[in-house]
């Protein structure tokens, strides 16, 4: 898998379901609007971050490599 360089959460589609926080609590947190944001892009291994992105029911988590190319979804 390509190395994750950038994590973007599309807050307009995030529904606060929070599996991302459960899978990678070192990377994602929920704010007072119950929407996810990134607390540390390097707070977990890339495999865990990918797992968190895949766990999002609305695919709000977008992952990019160091060339700015989308890795997921
Ligand atoms: S899993 Fe997706 S919808 Fe749920 S809080 Fe995380 S980004 Fe938002």
């Amino acid at each position: 898998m390509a190395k994750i360089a950038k994590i973007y959460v599309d807050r307009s589609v995030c529904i606060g379901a929070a599996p991302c926080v459960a899978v990678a609590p070192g990377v994602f947190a929920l704010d007072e609007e119950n929407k996810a944001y990134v607390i540390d892009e390097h707070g977990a291994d890339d495999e865990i971050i990918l797992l968190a992105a895949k766990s999002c029911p609305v695919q709000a988590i977008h992952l990019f490599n160091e060339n700015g190319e989308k890795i997921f979804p």
Side-chain angles (χ1 to χ4, degrees):
M1 187 193 130
K3 200 168 157 21
I4 296 169
K6 176 80 193 149
I7 305 171
Y8 168 70
V9 177
D10 185 349
R11 293 168 54 86
S12 68
V13 300
C14 173
I15 55 171
C20 60
V21 180
V23 173
V27 179
F28 301 99
L30 291 185
D31 65 13
E32 62 281 354
E33 292 176 55
N34 226 22
K35 290 184 183 285
Y37 67 100
V38 176
I39 50 176
D40 182 2
E41 291 191 323
H42 307 290
D45 291 342
D46 282 4
E47 290 75 22
I48 300 295
I49 296 173
L50 179 63
L51 207 64
K54 286 181 173 174
S55 77
C56 176
V58 293
Q59 297 202 329
I61 300 170
H62 301 258
L63 306 177
F64 299 86
N65 67 15
E66 53 275 9
N67 297 321
E69 296 160 346
K70 186 174 275 192
I71 304 169
F72 184 86

